[in-house]
Amino acid sequence: MKENGCSRKQGAASPCAACKLLRRRCAQDCVFAPYFPADEPQKFANVHKVFGASNVNKMLQELPEHQRGDAVSSMVYEANARVRDPVYGCVGAISSLQQQIDVLQTQLALAQAEVVHLRVRQTASISNHGLSPSSPSNSGSPSSSRFAGSQARPIFDMDMMMDHSSLGLGESMWSC
């Protein structure tokens, strides 16, 4: 909690940002002074514009002192969000972040599916090219003679094609 008590007690009081904006004398027990210092005038200006000085005063008076700092932080955050987006405020910012999370989760799922697909293809390719310890031509089993003359094909021969444009991801899933 910031205190401007030193300058107030010595007589030449510098009014807090709230009292300065409201053009009133800043009393020694001003409820705004600890939270709206004179060197941060825009902080109170936005809060005043959104909530009004009387409402802020009432809210702070009703709270215990140990909760006032958090309440002021919340009011400042909401007021700044309302100044940027008068209709939605914080909800607009939260909604935008949620949409970004949804897009990123979709991209992550696609990347994970691609990794699985590539691992399956790699495993199939390794096993079909005779890179395992027992070569198919030397094993003597009937199933190995069946594959000896045929062309090697992966076990799962399906490509995981995804229409990225329908997901709103643009050309590449790796682009920002």
Side-chain angles (χ1 to χ4, degrees):
M1 197 164 35
K2 296 179 185 176
E3 289 288 341
N4 286 348
C6 295
S7 63
R8 255 179 256 285
K9 290 179 183 175
Q10 296 175 352
S14 173
C16 67
C19 291
K20 192 180 287 187
L21 183 78
L22 299 172
R23 295 186 179 139
R24 66 180 192 188
R25 188 178 69 75
C26 191
Q28 189 170 353
D29 61 342
C30 177
V31 72
F32 298 120
Y35 312 105
F36 300 105
D39 59 341
E40 298 178 24
Q42 195 60 39
K43 186 176 173 181
F44 182 76
N46 288 342
V47 170
H48 174 61
K49 187 184 297 184
V50 173
F51 296 104
S54 177
N55 289 331
V56 174
N57 187 17
K58 287 177 193 173
M59 285 188 267
L60 292 178
Q61 294 284 345
E62 291 175 3
L63 289 172
E65 281 195 43
H66 70 277
Q67 292 179 344
R68 291 178 183 177
D70 292 335
V72 168
S73 294
S74 294
M75 285 187 272
V76 168
Y77 186 81
E78 176 65 28
N80 290 338
R82 286 279 170 190
V83 167
R84 282 191 305 275
D85 185 356
V87 175
Y88 295 108
C90 288
V91 175
I94 292 168
S95 176
S96 173
L97 290 172
Q98 185 61 49
Q99 288 176 347
Q100 289 178 12
I101 288 171
D102 292 343
V103 167
L104 291 172
Q105 285 176 335
T106 302
Q107 288 178 348
L108 177 62
L110 288 170
Q112 289 171 334
E114 189 173 346
V115 167
V116 168
H117 177 69
L118 291 174
R119 284 184 181 160
V120 167
R121 287 182 65 190
Q122 181 182 20
T123 303
S125 175
I126 288 173
S127 66
N128 287 335
H129 285 102
L131 298 177
S132 62
S134 62
S135 175
S137 60
N138 295 337
S139 68
S141 70
S143 62
S144 65
S145 62
R146 178 175 56 162
F147 291 113
S150 68
Q151 186 178 8
R153 294 190 60 185
I155 296 170
F156 301 103
D157 191 23
M158 57 182 169
D159 287 328
M160 298 178 79
M161 299 300 290
M162 188 69 85
D163 183 14
H164 294 278
S165 62
S166 68
L167 297 172
L169 300 176
E171 291 181 18
S172 169
M173 94 168 100
W174 305 111
S175 64
C176 293

